[in-house]
């Protein structure tokens, strides 16, 4: 039989996990294209379908849904889609839409009373010593990359006496976003029929798959490395407990902020009083400055007026003295002329007297 016919041949559901590696490697090498030219995502194994413009989460749900099986799907189709889901998780995790932080999940009263290990943690079991994609499954980086879609914080691996990786703890953020990521982590295993329920049912003779779930009270109290680690690192809490603590913390923050606001208001009132006093003082200073300025201006004008009057008076007196001096000068000239005339007359009379005296003597 030709190789092409071998590729088209189908296999049983029990062999699905053995046939995932080949299409996964073909996705990695680019034989099957997932990203379109416009950045959209498509399913290369459903080329005839109208829906060929997926968001990351939609495509992952499609691949996981087909991979977990339906009567109308062949084993090969399931293997191909499981490979696609794995490719999305391990190689295209950066295409995932950012998960916005959310408030506490809406839960029924019964769900709120369910006990979880906190901080949120996921349990992974049945890890084999086999290699995966050329990397050792004992490498934490491998598991962080594998579960990167769920934003894990840390991976803790546990070994048995034969130094074989057998179990792991995946920790998530302590907030509600971390809780949502943990639940999505658990749902991915449920979609692949590798949940805690399946592990409990087939623990004595499990498949080669890994199993995973979110750690709860029975895991916390369990014997062994998992239980010891959970008891050492966390505690048991219900959703209701965490919501109550969150409310109390929020109320404390609100009360603290209200107290800070009151103190700030008191400081603001005090600053307002100081501002008003400074404003009043400044207003008084400006008024005094205006008064001094007006006084200075009026005094300056008065001094200028007196100086002008004094100058005018001096000029007037000088003019009067000049007129008087001129008048006296003219009077002196008149007196001088009269004196000259009198001297002339006196000289003539003296001459006459001398002549008469001479005549009388002769």
């Amino acid at each position: 039989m030709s190789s092409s016919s071998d590729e088209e041949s189908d296999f049983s559901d029990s062999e699905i996990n053995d046939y995932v590696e080949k299409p996964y490697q073909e996705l990695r090498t680019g034989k099957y294209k997932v990203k379109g030219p416009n950045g959209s995502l498509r399913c290369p194994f459903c080329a005839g379908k109208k829906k060929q413009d997926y968001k990351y989460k939609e495509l992952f749900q499609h691949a996981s849904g087909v991979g977990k099986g339906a009567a109308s799907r062949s084993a090969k189709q399931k293997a191909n889609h499981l490979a696609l889901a794995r490719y999305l998780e391990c190689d295209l995790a950066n295409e995932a839409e950012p998960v916005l932080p959310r408030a506490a999940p809406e839960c029924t009263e019964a769900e709120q009373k369910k006990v979880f290990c906190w901080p949120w943690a996921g349990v992974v079991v049945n890890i084999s010593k086999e290699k995966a994609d050329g990397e050792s499954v004992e490498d934490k980086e491998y598991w962080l990359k594998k579960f990167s879609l769920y934003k894990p914080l840390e991976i803790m691996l546990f070994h048995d006496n034969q130094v074989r990786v057998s179990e792991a703890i995946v920790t998530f953020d302590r907030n509600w976003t971390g809780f949502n990521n943990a639940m999505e982590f658990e749902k991915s295993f449920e979609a692949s029929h590798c949940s805690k329920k399946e592990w409990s049912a087939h623990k004595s003779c499990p498949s080669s798959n890994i199993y995973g779930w979110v750690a709860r009270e029975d895991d916390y109290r369990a014997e062994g490395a998992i239980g010891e680690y959970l008891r050492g690192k966390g505690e048991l809490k219900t959703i209701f407990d965490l919501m109550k603590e969150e409310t109390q913390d929020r109320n404390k923050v609100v009360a603290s902020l209200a107290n800070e606001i009151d103190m700030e208001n008191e400081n603001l009132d005090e600053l307002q009083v100081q501002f008003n006093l400074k404003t009043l003082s400044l207003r008084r200073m400006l008024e005094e400055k205006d008064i001094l300025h007006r006084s200075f201006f009026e005094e300056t004008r008065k001094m200028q007026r007196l100086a002008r009057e004094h100058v005018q008076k001096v000029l007037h007196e000088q003019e009067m003295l000049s007129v008087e001096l001129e008048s006296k000068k003219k009077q002196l000239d008149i007196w001088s002329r009269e004196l000259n005339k009198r001297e002339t007359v006196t000289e003539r009379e003296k001459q006459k007297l001398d002549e008469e005296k001479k005549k009388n003597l002769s």
Side-chain angles (χ1 to χ4, degrees), residues 312-332:
Q312 288 175 354
K313 183 179 179 181
V314 169
L315 290 175
H316 178 70
E317 290 177 351
Q318 185 178 5
E319 186 178 356
M320 293 298 292
L321 288 173
S322 296
V323 171
E324 183 179 357
L325 181 62
E326 186 65 27
S327 175
K328 288 182 178 181
K329 185 179 179 182
K330 287 180 181 180
Q331 186 68 37
L332 285 173

Side-chain angles (χ1 to χ4, degrees), residues 117-136:
C117 290
W118 190 86
W120 317 115
V123 178
V124 182
V125 298
N126 200 41
I127 303 174
S128 67
K129 193 180 177 182
E130 298 174 355
K131 302 287 183 177
D133 308 330
E135 302 178 53
S136 171

